[in-house]
């Protein structure tokens, strides 16, 4: 159950509404690439405009170092948004200060104003109360629809909520409901598929999911550290040596619940044109490295996924950026999409893999937040959510 107030619980009519969205989208040569996150924010924006609100949008983009950086401006996003909604869309080149105050004052009901990148101020990441207050002063109501940033306690995601009536947008609500339900009342069997580069990022997730899931299927670079912890030489494979002891403990504690690849694809260099071999899991020859899961693993994991009631997937099964080592990731993407399970995908790479298979429509929910969804799977509270008003 979603226990936070949403925009439907508020009298929004004719109000000035500050909406924290997640417009952290890829920009190349001043043009928006994948627009998934912009599209995902539209239901909230349109709802507010239908209520005749003046809609002020703020977001971060990329990782500027607390100063203005034109390559990370939100202006191209504002331009892009103009094509998606009929209402007037304006842009102002700061998110606080006189320019922002003037632009919001002049903004009329039924119009949209996009503020410049919040991370052009160091105060954003420091969750500086003064910046939060300045943001709050621009509006009557605060809406957080930036699920992808909800795991960060920043001025625009958390701080500002202390100065205004603060509620969730539709995207935030949807994301929390899907992920929350999968974790707390999953249709069983409940399967987690975890991949990606480093296991250190996901140890907390494995720990939290061990007593909630029926199986955890491991792929990607994460498996290497577990193999090494079990005593296999792993050649030149990517390994997190710092967490070998923890990995050993996990393998012991998890028993049969934690599944590792039974065969792997190895390469003689880290490149798409490397020589490659499929081998049963075992000692990796010197100077070779694991870059994908093998076909027997795809079959074995596939059987488990086909019988699943709920599947949560985060992280690719191999170095899928190299077409020659992408097979495992795409095969798993296909099985997940074709299964009848409630399927939830988090993380940009797994979402991209699903989209490339053309089967994204068959997924129950593709999350817009990789980090935030991982923190939920880890059992952590999201500060951006906690700060909103309870129902
Ligand atoms: P993450 O951001 O942790 O989800 O990791 C995604 C990255 O993991 C992708 O860029 C993959 O190339 C990488 N990855 C997956 N499998 C391996 C592997 N066996 N060795 C090295 N990197 C891998």
């Amino acid at each position: 159950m979603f226990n936070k107030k949403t925009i439907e619980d508020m009298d929004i009519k004719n109000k000035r509404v500050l909406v924290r969205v997640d417009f952290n989208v890829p920009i190349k040569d001043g043009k928006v690439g994948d627009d998934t996150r912009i599209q995902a924010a539209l239901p909230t924006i349109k709802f507010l405009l239908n209520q005749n609100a003046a809609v002020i949008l703020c977001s971060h983009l990329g990782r500027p170092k607390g100063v203005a950086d034109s390559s990370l401006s939100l202006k191209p996003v504002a331009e892009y948004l103009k094509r998606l909604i009929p209402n007037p869309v304006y842009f102002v080149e700061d998110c606080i200060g006189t320019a922002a105050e003037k632009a919001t004052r002049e903004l009329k009901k039924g119009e949209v104003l996009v503020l410049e990148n919040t991370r052009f101020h160091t105060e954003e990441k420091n969750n500086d109360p003064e910046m939060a207050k300045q943001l709050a002063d621009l509006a009557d109501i605060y809406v957080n629809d930036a699920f992808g940033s909800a795991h960060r306690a920043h001025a625009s995601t958390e701080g500002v909520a202390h100065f205004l009536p603060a509620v969730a947008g539709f995207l935030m609500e949807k994301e929390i409901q899907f992920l929350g339900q999968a974790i707390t009342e999953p249709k069983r069997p409940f399967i987690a598929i975890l991949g990606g580069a480093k296991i250190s990022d996901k140890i907390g997730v494995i720990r939290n999911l061990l007593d909630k899931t029926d199986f955890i299927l491991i792929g990607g670079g994460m498996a290497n550290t577990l193999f090494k912890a079990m005593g296999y030489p792993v050649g030149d494979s990517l390994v997190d040596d710092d967490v070998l002891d923890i990995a050993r403990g996990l393998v012991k504690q998890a028993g049969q619940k934690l599944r590792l690849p039974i065969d792997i694809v190895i390469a003689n260099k880290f490149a798409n044109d490397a020589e490659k071999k499929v081998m049963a899991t075992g000692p990796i020859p010197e100077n070779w490295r694991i870059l994908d899961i093998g076909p027997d693993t795809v079959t074995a994991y596939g059987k488990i996924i086909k019988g699943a009631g709920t599947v949560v997937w985060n992280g690719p099964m191999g170095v899928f950026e190299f077409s020659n080592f992408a097979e495992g990731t795409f095969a798993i993407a296909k099985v997940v999409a074709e299964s009848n399970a409630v399927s939830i995908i988090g993380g940009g790479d797994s979402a991209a893999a699903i989209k490339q298979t053309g089967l994204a429509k068959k997924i129950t929910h593709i999350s817009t937040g990789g980090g935030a969804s991982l923190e939920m799977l880890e059992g952590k509270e999201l500060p951006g959510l906690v700060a909103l008003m309870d129902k």
Side-chain angles (χ1 to χ4, degrees), residues 195-198 201-202 220-221 224 238 270 290-292 314-321 349:
K198 294 172 76 189
D201 298 341
K202 288 173 192 155
N224 310 346
L238 177 76
F270 189 84
I290 306 170
L291 293 189
D292 199 5
N314 188 301
M317 297 289 100
V319 183
F320 82 119
E321 296 91 336
D349 290 328

Side-chain angles (χ1 to χ4, degrees), residues 1 177 179-186 188 190 212:
M1 254 294 288
Q177 274 181 331
L179 272 157
Q181 182 156 17
I183 299 166
T184 55
E185 338 162 359
R188 293 196 178 266
F190 177 20
K212 296 193 166 61

